[in-house]
């Protein structure tokens, strides 16, 4: 089938046709795998028209052939996939895709091809797809869900194709502040920006199109006595040059949030492969804080639904006019204009002037009059007033319009009487204008119904946001310019405090236009359900009949009707359909539109790329990774990693063919029998100093610290005010009123903030300073029977003698040429030290430890060995034995919970009935009946195993490991009244019907007397 | 996303640069007198909050800036912020007047003779 | 005391070609974190005696020229930078001078690293990772600002203007993340020239 081109020759139009294309620059592109050519400046939509292609997609539900309806971002039909492979991007609007060399694009939702689509049988079976189809159909039986319904829905749902691999392009975000943000670069936006800028304000003006000017090129009217477009070009240029106005094209303001937080989506290089390859990001997401926001987002034309109004070739009137004026294309050779207002007459006269015949202007109004009507008449265009389209004939499976049927229209909404058939191959339709109130509404802006416009306009906003121009329902150019200048000046002054004289608005005027007549739907004559569909929401295939059905079925609230019918829920968010839908509902319920109300407008205004949302945070920047000074050493040693918070810690160090389990067992036995090294640098370290430092510690720890002598340390527990344990660690006394607190790795930041919070907000009289020093020091555990021998080999002034540095002692000195802090503390139960060195020496010192320990068989050990070692000793770990609901008493740590201290955090809560209750879960050890069986982590113990669920759960496993030291499995668990159940066996139903039995024992499995650490 | 101004260091920043510490002016009973706190009083301290719809007094911290805590007066519906004051201070009279009656009752109950004087 | 080799967190990183700004790690500066009460005259005097300059008390400012610079961090906290070699001596001097005065001074030379950024597009590069608008007034030379940058805690010190030189300070463990972030956002071709005079946009 050959497609005839629809490019209008320039000759004889006086340059009014095809203004933005460069006919000397041919560009090759691909559509559905075939090569075509267009011009520089074309959109994909206009280039397809130029090549005679009108069918650009298939509809979502019925798979009907669809063509372009609108222009710019309001297009509901022409969603296309652009690019290929890992650059494939689905669901772009063909009316926004700019043609560039090498562009490849294809139609969506069509199989095997857009010309012949198997899914079109849906259309024949359309009576099976009423509103609420999914709710009505996929209800029962439940067993059908997984096997039958879900696969069907999955195959049918979703638009477009996802890219095949990681996106090769870059994206980024940019944050900035401005005094005045102007949304929209039409006449109103530019005027407001100019007036704001005259006050010295920092202004951003953003327009989503490649060109500024809105619809100034096709709207008629004059500014300063000349064509609008002249003033537009001069003003845009002077603002760009000014240095205090950031002028952005291809930038859609997608969302407005609290306190004038505005999100803008800039298509930086999408349209230009050269820009992309020179390092520009494909898209950039702007996060703007504006003191004042001026919304000049214009208005969107709405169609008038009539029978089969979705046929390719039915277009919005302004879309026809804009395509002609900008790209010199038309959707066909002979048009008909269907309208309820004066503006569409401009389309008719423009078409005729460009040599495209207009078969008729069909106007629903009984007596249209005014200069635009006169102009059309004098151009010789036939006008049928008081009429409406009542049918449409097409051939080639609906892809080619041949004529429309017209009949008299009465204000009651009926179309009846003598029918007339008018030959045409396209229809330009206009049903009035809907101000773009989306941004105004994103953040709670309310609306008023404007009777004259038959649409909603913004009410004053609580934030410093104002809407002007067509978006505010102001259409006459003179009024619009006055309003825009005043708003710009006011915003500029409010943001800057400027007292500059107000810039004078240039004189502007446009033709007088008569009122429109409300019409929401021109029904087909005869039985309009018979094969005739009146589409309201093109993208989701919602018809007038669907809305009426929903209303008959009792869906009264517009929010419910929306969800039931999916009206306005497609990617275009109902830009062309919402108000019409309300109008149809108004007709069928008899309620006026304002009583029906609108649905919620949510960001984004138009869809934007995931790439821009991710911005820089992809690949290695996807998530923050914190490195200790030994990060590279661990990597070189072949460590496997464990993420702890944002840290990467070495989990274990497999050697050769060793698997993780073998490596962990070897590391544990090395510590038990020889000596091991641990990178413990991630432990939180906080210096605490001041006259009340000891008193502060007494209040945040459950035990007493103010009695600690310099050079000594103590293990402490921290509770929150609910009595729950949330951190632990050893705090040492460095000197008088000077302490160093160790926290868990995960608690490092939290605890310093915790201390600050209490000091600043509650104990404001306390004289204490706290400073986090975590990263200043790299800290290494040296643990095992040979630890002392190893350290004594290093040159320095530290005495490691058992008496000089006894258990829980600390000292400072020099070791291997480095300033060190030495702590004799143990989390493994072995003779153990932790050595802190300034981090710049971390790696060098670690390597000296390894060197010195070589003769003792020293090896590094990772976090898993650390955990097994502590579990063998029954030491708790925050986050394993605690989960935010566990008290120190639950864990049997009564020895560390002071009864004498008058007050410390959480103390009072421990006496509350629910915490003092007898049936609390208590920490116990577990030995499985089968010593080779390692309980799953988190396994639940039940009082009785039964078929019937739920079983009575009496506890859960908190730590569970294979202990190479004991050559059997060990576990710890929190069990209801566990300490009273010593020696009893409890059962754990685990996966696949298996039951594991274990004996409740003391949680200290190894060296109960603690002799090994005290040598 | 709110814009918040730290009254301590003067930084005006995004909500993400701050940390909301929930309702302000919750007295910790144990600080004054650790003995004789009833279970009910302890429960109220731990869990009971005013949670008004409207003007509210909250604690915020200049999380990514100077690290100091302060009070903010915020409308929980419109998100408007009416003012800030020190972490150890009571709300200024003008802000208290805007606030939910729950708050006026709170300070009425806690009013001390010195506070009375300051009110004029 | 002989100190071993100094390994800064970014010792093995070099800025790639094609950056729109100059980026280097500062390796020869040390840092001391000092806390004290500005209303405590004894503290302020003792600090001045040790440092040779008065601690700045205006928020987000810095004081000092030459070797010792004091950066305001909080009403009761300052970060003092000085040559790395001089940290030990200066800290000892401070501690001696502050003896008996409510205060806390700690060596933080290894806790953070400083990334030096230079060029006309430094401000806009930082604006890709932080919600702060550095093109606004209030970010003149000497200004200090703590912030969230690229999801991490950071601090900037505007060292000089024309050309802009900024010190970006981040905790040691985040150094690679910050460096990677700047590499990713400072590439030539991706510059944003915010509010600069520009060519006229196309119009319809």
């Amino acid at each position: 089938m050959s497609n005839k081109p629809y490019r209008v020759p320039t000759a004889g139009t006086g340059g009014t046709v095809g203004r933005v294309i460069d006919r000397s620059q041919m560009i090759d592109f691909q559509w559905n795998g075939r090569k075509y050519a267009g011009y520089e400046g074309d959109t994909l939509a206009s280039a397809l028209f130029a090549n005679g292609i009108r069918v650009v997609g298939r509809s979502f539900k019925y798979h009907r052939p669809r063509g372009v309806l609108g222009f710019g971002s309001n297009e509901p039909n022409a969603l296309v996939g652009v690019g290929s492979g890992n650059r494939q991007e689905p669901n772009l609007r063909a009316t926004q895709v700019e043609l560039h060399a090498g562009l490849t694009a294809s139609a969506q939702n069509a199989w095997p091809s857009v010309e012949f689509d198997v899914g079109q049988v849906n259309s024949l079976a359309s009576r099976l797809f009423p509103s609420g189809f999914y709710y009505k159909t996929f209800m029962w039986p439940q067993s059908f869900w997984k096997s039958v319904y879900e696969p069907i829905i999955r195959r049918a749902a979703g638009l477009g194709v996802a890219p095949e691999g990681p996106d090769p392009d870059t994206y980024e975000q940019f944050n900035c502040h401005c005094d005045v943000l102007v949304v929209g670069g039409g006449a109103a936006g530019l005027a407001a920006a100019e007036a704001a800028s005259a006050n010295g304000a920092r202004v951003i003006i953003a327009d989503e199109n490649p060109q500024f000017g809105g619809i100034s090129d096709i709207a008629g009217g004059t500014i300063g006595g000349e064509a609008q477009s002249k003033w537009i070009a001069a003003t845009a240029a002077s603002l760009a040059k000014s240095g205090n106005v950031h002028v952005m094209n291809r930038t859609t303001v997608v969302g407005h949030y609290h306190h004038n937080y505005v999100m803008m989506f800039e298509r930086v290089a999408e349209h230009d492969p050269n820009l992309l390859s020179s390092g520009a990001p494909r898209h950039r997401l702007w996060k703007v804080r504006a003191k004042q926001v001026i919304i000049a987002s214009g208005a969107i034309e709405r169609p008038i639904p009539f029978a089969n109004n979705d046929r390719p070739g039915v277009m919005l009137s302004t879309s026809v006019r804009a395509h002609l004026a900008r790209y010199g294309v038309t959707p066909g050779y002979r048009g008909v204009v269907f309208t309820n207002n004066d503006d569409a007459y401009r389309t008719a006269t423009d078409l005729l002037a460009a040599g495209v015949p207009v078969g008729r202007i069909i106007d629903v109004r009984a007596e249209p009059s005014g200069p635009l009507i006169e102009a059309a008449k004098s151009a010789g265009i036939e006008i049928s007033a008081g009429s409406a389209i009542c049918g449409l004939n097409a051939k080639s499976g609906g892809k080619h319009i041949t004529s429309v049927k017209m009949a008299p229209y009465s204000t009651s909404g009926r179309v009846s009487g003598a029918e007339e058939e008018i030959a045409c191959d396209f229809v330009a339709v206009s049903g009035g204008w809907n101000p773009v109130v989306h941004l105004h509404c994103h953040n709670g802006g309310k609306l008023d119904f404007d009777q004259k416009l038959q649409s909603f306009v913004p009410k004053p906003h609580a934030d410093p946001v104002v809407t002007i121009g067509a978006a505010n329902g102001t259409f006459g150019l003179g009024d619009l310019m006055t309003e825009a200048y005043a708003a710009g000046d006011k915003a500029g002054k409010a943001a800057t405090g400027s007292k500059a004289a107000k810039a004078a608005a240039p004189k502007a005027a446009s033709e007088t236009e008569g009122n429109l007549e409300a019409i929401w739907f021109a029904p087909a004559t005869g039985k309009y359900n018979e094969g005739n569909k009146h589409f309201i929401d093109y993208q989701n295939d919602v018809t007038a009949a669907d809305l009426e059905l929903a209303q008959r079925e009792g869906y009264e609230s517009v929010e419910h009707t929306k969800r039931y019918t999916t009206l306005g829920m497609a990617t275009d968010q109902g830009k062309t359909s919402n108000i019409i839908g309300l109008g149809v509902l108004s007709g069928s319920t008899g309620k006026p539109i304002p009583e029906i109300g609108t649905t919620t407008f949510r960001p984004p205004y138009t869809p934007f790329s995931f790439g821009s949302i991710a911005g820089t945070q992809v690949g290695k920047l996807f998530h923050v990774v914190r490195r200790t000074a030994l990060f590279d050493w661990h990597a070189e040693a072949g460590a496997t990693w464990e993420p702890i918070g944002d840290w990467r810690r070495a989990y274990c160090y497999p050697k050769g063919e060793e698997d993780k389990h073998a490596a962990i067992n070897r590391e544990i036995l090395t510590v038990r029998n020889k000596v091991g090294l641990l990178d413990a640098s991630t432990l939180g370290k906080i210096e605490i100093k001041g006259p009340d430092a000891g008193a502060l510690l007494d209040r945040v720890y459950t035990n007493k610290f103010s009695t600690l002598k310099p050079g000594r340390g103590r293990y402490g527990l921290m509770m929150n005010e609910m009595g729950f344990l949330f951190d632990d660690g050893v705090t040492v006394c460095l000197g008088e009123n000077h302490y160093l607190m160790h926290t868990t790795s995960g608690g490092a930041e939290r605890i310093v903030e915790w201390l600050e919070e209490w000091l600043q907000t509650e104990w404001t009289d306390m004289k204490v300073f706290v400073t986090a020093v975590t990263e200043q020091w790299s800290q290494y555990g040296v643990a095992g029977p040979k630890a002392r021998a190893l350290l004594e080999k290093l040159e320095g002034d530290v005495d490691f003698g058992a008496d000089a540095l006894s258990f829980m002692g600390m000292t400072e000195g020099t070791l291997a040429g480095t300033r060190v802090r030495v702590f004799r503390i143990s989390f493994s139960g072995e003779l153990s030290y932790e050595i802190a060195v300034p981090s710049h020496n971390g790696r060098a010192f670690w390597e000296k430890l390894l060197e010195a320990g070589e003769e003792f068989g020293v090896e590094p050990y990772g976090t898993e060995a650390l955990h097994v070692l502590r579990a063998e000793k029954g030491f708790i770990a925050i986050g394993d034995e605690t989960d935010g609901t566990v008290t120190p008493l639950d864990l049997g740590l009564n020895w560390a919970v002071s009864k004498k201290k008058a007050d410390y955090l959480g103390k009072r809560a421990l006496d509350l009935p629910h915490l003092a209750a007898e049936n609390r879960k208590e920490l116990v050890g577990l030995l499985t009946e089968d010593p080779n069986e390692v309980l799953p982590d988190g396994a639940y113990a039940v009082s009785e195993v039964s078929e019937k669920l739920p079983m009575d759960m009496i506890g859960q496993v908190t730590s569970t490991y294979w202990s190479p030291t004991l050559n059997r499995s060990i576990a710890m668990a929190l069990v209801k009244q566990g300490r009273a159940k010593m020696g009893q066996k409890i059962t754990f139903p685990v996966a696949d019907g298996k039951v594991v039995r274990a004996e409740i024992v003391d949680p200290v499995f190894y060296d109960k007397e603690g002799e090994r650490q005290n040598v | 996303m709110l814009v918040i101004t730290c009254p301590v260091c003067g930084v005006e920043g995004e909500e993400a640069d701050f940390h909301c510490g929930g309702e302000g002016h919750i007295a910790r009973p144990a600080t004054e007198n650790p003995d004789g706190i009833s279970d009910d009083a302890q429960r109220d301290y731990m869990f009971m909050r005013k949670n008004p719809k409207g003007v509210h007094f909250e604690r915020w911290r200049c999380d990514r800036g100077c690290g100091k805590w302060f009070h903010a007066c915020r409308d929980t519906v419109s998100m408007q912020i009416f003012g800030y004051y020190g972490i150890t201070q009571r709300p200024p009279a003008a802000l208290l007047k805007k606030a939910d009656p729950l708050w006026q009752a709170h300070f009425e109950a806690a009013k001390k003779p010195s506070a009375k004087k300051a009110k004029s | 005391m002989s100190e071993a080799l100094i390994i800064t967190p970014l010792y093995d990183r070099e800025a790639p070609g094609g950056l729109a700004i100059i980026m280097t790690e500062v390796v020869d500066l040390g840092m001391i974190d000092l806390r004290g009460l500005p209303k405590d005259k004894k503290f302020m005097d003792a600090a001045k005696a040790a440092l040779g300059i008065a601690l700045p008390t205006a928020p987000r400012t810095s004081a000092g020229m030459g070797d010792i610079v004091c950066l305001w961090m909080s009403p009761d906290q300052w970060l003092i930078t000085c040559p790395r070699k001089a940290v030990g001596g200066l800290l000892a001097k401070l501690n001696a001078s502050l003896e008996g005065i409510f205060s806390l001074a700690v060596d933080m030379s290894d806790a953070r690293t400083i990334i030096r950024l230079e060029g006309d597009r430094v401000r806009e590069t930082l604006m890709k990772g932080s919600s702060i608008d550095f093109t606004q007034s209030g970010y003149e030379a000497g200004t200090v600002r703590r912030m969230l940058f690229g999801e991490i805690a950071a601090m900037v010190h505007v060292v000089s203007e024309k050309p802009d030189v900024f010190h970006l300070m981040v905790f040691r463990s985040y150094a690679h993340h910050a460096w990677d972030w700047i590499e990713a956002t400072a590439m030539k071709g991706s510059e944003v020239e915010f509010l600069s005079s520009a060519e006229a946009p196309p119009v319809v």
Side-chain angles (χ1 to χ4, degrees), chain A residues 233 236-238 240-241 247, chain C residues 198-202:
Chain A
S238 81
K241 210 169 292 162
V247 178
Chain C
E199 279 175 38

Side-chain angles (χ1 to χ4, degrees), chain A residues 699-742:
Chain A
R699 287 199 186 168
V700 297
Y701 276 131
T702 59
N703 42 348
K704 202 153 177 87
F705 275 78
S706 51
T707 53
L708 208 56
K709 298 276 177 294
R712 300 301 300 169
R714 189 166 289 163
Y715 172 72
L717 302 170
M718 282 189 202
M719 290 190 290
N720 60 22
E721 280 284 69
M722 318 297 171
F724 299 129
L725 184 59
F726 80 108
D727 210 85
D728 67 349
V730 171
T731 287
V732 299
C733 183
L734 295 172
E736 196 193 350
N737 297 330
H738 191 181
Y739 298 85
L740 173 67
M741 176 186 279
H742 288 115

Side-chain angles (χ1 to χ4, degrees), chain A residues 686 718 726-727 741 743 747-755:
Chain A
I686 304 166
M718 282 189 202
F726 80 108
D727 210 85
M741 176 186 279
T743 74
E749 281 81 25
R750 192 177 56 201
I751 301 302
V752 77
E753 283 168 16
W754 176 249
L755 300 177

Side-chain angles (χ1 to χ4, degrees), chain A residues 899-943:
Chain A
K899 289 209 163 55
K900 284 188 205 149
K901 284 196 292 176
D903 177 29
Y904 51 90
L905 296 178
K907 183 186 188 213
R908 175 62 185 84
L910 289 181
D911 292 332
L912 289 172
H914 64 287
L915 294 189
E918 281 185 354
N919 62 347
R920 298 282 305 171
K921 288 179 183 170
E922 295 167 341
L923 188 72
V924 294
L926 293 175
L927 290 175
T928 49
E929 280 184 342
D930 173 1
N932 292 317
E933 178 81 45
V934 180
L935 275 162
D937 204 354
Y940 276 103
V942 298
S943 57

